[in-house]
Each structure stands twice: as structure tokens, then as C-alpha cells.
């Protein structure tokens, strides 16, 4: 029990902001230029943004972990990387049934496990940013290989057609490995048609993912 409590405490701090200082003064535009030159080192794309939160470099949300990152610069030398958790939740009868729910991952997996994975991702991006800004060499990001016996990426056209003609019973979700929500769609006729329509739009625009969070896009 004490181990689980300790893990919970660690998980509570896993998604805290990461901060570090540079040995030289710079601007956000210069940082953006340096990161762009090594964009291949990052898993997710990023861009310069403004708005109410302030000028920042925003990394797109990592689809498996539902966490985006905002990079802020203060006083020309202080870097702050702020995690932005934006979970895509699906509920039925008030119960979460999405990929990161307790129902799908178990209590520990949806709490300690998820927070730890998010923390590791934030640390990786932070370390990569730090190395680039300090002029160190970084390797290109390489997506994890499909394990032996694992599934290959799903075909975009097949996914689109299955959703178009059989989406009401969730066949497209079975196809991409989302068995839990596939069953849900079967029992609710595609969550009364609304879920199927949303999926169809996501597939058509390349924003639909398989069970591992990989985007299914037209080649």
C-alpha cells in the first residue's frame, strides 16, 4: 500500500512544468528558428503562437498521452515548458470508456501509469530542447517499431469506407483495434449516429487514430 501511495505522490508531480536557464540571452523567435532547424528530433510538430496565455512555442498534443506542451521564455534566458493536459474523453451513462479511462487501463494504469508516461514524455522533450539550445547534437526522433507479431498501420481508405457504410455498428473501430468503443458503438448505433459522424470527419481530415494513438492518414 505504501508503495502505491509513494507512486501516487510521484505521479502528482510528474506533469509539473519543467524549467531551466540559458547561459545567453535570446528571443522566442530565435528559439523557434533553432528548434525548426532540428524539427526531426521531435515527435510532435510545433509552432509559434500568441493569444491570452502569452507568446509561446506550442507543441501539438501527443495522441496517446493527451498532453501538449507550451514553451515560454522569460527575461531572455529562462525557459519554462508547461504541460497542457487535454483529454479526449468518452462517457456512457456518466462512466468514462475512452483509451485512458479506468475501465480500459485499470486504476493504476489510468492514474500512476499514465502520469508517469506523461512525465517521461515531458522530460524527453525538455531535454531535447535544452540540448538544441545549448548547441549539442541530438538524434532524430524515431517512432517505436511495430513489435514482432504486432499490427501494421491501418489503411486510411478501408477505415473511411467502413465508417461510411458500417459506422453505425462500429466496424471501423473494430478494424483499428478499438474494441471497447467498437462494442459501445454496436450497442448504441454509433452513439446514436453522432459518434459515427464525428469519426467520419476525423478520418476524412486525418485526425482519427488507431488503438495505439497513431494517426491514420491518406498516403
Amino acid at each position: 500500500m505504501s508503495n502505491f501511495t509513494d507512486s501516487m505522490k510521484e505521479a502528482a508531480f510528474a506533469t509539473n512544468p519543467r524549467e531551466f536557464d540559458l547561459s545567453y540571452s535570446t528571443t522566442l523567435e530565435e528559439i523557434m528558428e533553432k528548434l525548426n532547424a532540428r524539427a526531426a528530433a521531435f515527435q510532435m510538430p510545433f509552432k509559434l503562437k500568441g493569444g491570452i496565455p502569452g507568446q509561446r512555442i506550442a507543441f501539438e498534443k501527443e495522441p496517446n498521452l493527451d498532453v501538449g506542451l507550451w514553451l515560454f521564455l522569460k527575461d531572455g534566458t529562462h525557459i519554462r515548458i508547461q504541460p497542457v493536459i487535454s483529454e479526449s474523453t468518452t462517457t456512457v451513462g456518466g462512466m468514462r470508456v475512452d483509451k485512458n479511462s479506468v475501465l480500459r487501463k485499470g486504476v493504476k494504469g489510468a492514474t500512476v501509469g499514465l502520469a508517469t508516461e506523461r512525465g517521461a514524455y515531458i522530460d524527453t522533450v525538455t531535454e531535447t530542447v535544452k540540448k538544441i539550445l545549448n548547441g549539442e547534437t541530438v538524434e532524430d526522433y524515431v517512432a517505436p517499431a511495430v513489435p514482432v507479431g504486432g499490427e501494421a498501420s491501418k489503411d486510411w481508405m478501408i477505415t473511411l469506407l467502413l465508417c461510411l457504410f458500417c459506422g453505425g455498428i462500429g466496424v471501423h473501430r473494430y478494424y483499428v483495434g478499438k474494441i471497447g468503443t467498437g462494442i459501445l458503438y454496436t450497442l448504441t448505433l454509433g452513439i446514436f449516429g453522432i459518434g459515427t459522424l464525428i469519426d467520419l470527419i476525423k478520418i476524412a481530415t486525418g485526425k482519427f487514430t488507431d488503438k495505439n494513438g497513431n494517426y491514420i492518414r491518406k498516403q
Side-chain angles (χ1 to χ4, degrees):
M1 181 66 181
S2 61
N3 289 338
F4 182 72
T5 302
D6 291 340
S7 297
M8 286 293 290
K9 290 179 180 178
E10 292 178 9
F13 295 100
T15 55
N16 280 358
R18 300 331 193 235
E19 302 184 53
F20 62 90
D21 290 304
L22 298 171
S23 60
Y24 58 91
S25 183
T26 187
T27 66
L28 200 60
E29 289 76 13
E30 290 173 341
I31 291 176
M32 182 68 182
E33 184 177 348
K34 290 181 179 179
L35 298 186
N36 256 335
R38 289 297 297 122
F42 297 98
Q43 177 182 352
M44 303 304 298
F46 50 88
K47 60 184 175 181
L48 199 61
K49 297 185 72 173
I52 294 177
Q55 192 177 31
R56 63 201 185 278
I57 295 173
F59 288 78
E60 288 188 13
K61 182 174 72 172
E62 203 285 337
N64 289 314
L65 305 175
D66 289 338
V67 57
L69 297 172
W70 290 351
L71 186 156
F72 295 95
L73 176 66
K74 183 179 180 181
D75 299 328
T77 59
H78 187 74
I79 301 291
R80 175 186 174 92
I81 295 181
Q82 175 70 52
V84 182
I85 309 299
S86 178
E87 293 189 314
S88 302
T89 60
T90 303
T91 60
V92 176
M95 179 181 293
R96 281 187 61 177
V97 296
D98 54 87
K99 66 180 185 297
N100 287 325
S101 65
V102 172
L103 183 66
R104 299 283 293 278
K105 302 190 89 169
V107 174
K108 189 172 182 178
T111 52
V112 176
L114 181 58
T116 301
E117 290 173 358
R118 285 171 172 167
Y121 169 70
I122 297 165
D123 286 338
T124 298
V125 174
T126 301
E127 189 62 24
T128 302
V129 169
K130 186 185 296 186
K131 286 182 177 180
I132 291 173
L133 297 184
N134 286 330
E136 299 178 36
T137 301
V138 294
E139 300 291 334
D140 288 354
Y141 171 76
V142 179
V146 177
V148 176
E151 297 182 36
S153 59
K154 300 301 181 181
D155 184 87
W156 176 82
M157 182 57 72
I158 292 176
T159 307
L160 179 67
L161 293 175
L162 288 176
C163 183
L164 185 62
F165 296 107
C166 307
I169 55 175
V171 174
H172 64 294
R173 285 187 165 262
Y174 290 113
Y175 172 67
V176 301
K178 297 180 175 181
I179 306 302
T181 50
I183 294 173
L184 176 64
Y185 271 46
T186 301
L187 296 176
T188 61
L189 295 180
I191 309 182
F192 313 113
I194 298 175
T196 301
L197 179 59
I198 292 173
D199 284 354
L200 188 60
I201 294 172
K202 284 186 174 182
I203 294 169
T205 57
K207 295 181 179 180
F208 193 70
T209 60
D210 64 15
K211 68 175 182 179
N212 296 316
N214 300 309
Y215 287 105
I216 300 172
R217 288 172 172 157
K218 186 177 181 180
Q219 299 301 315

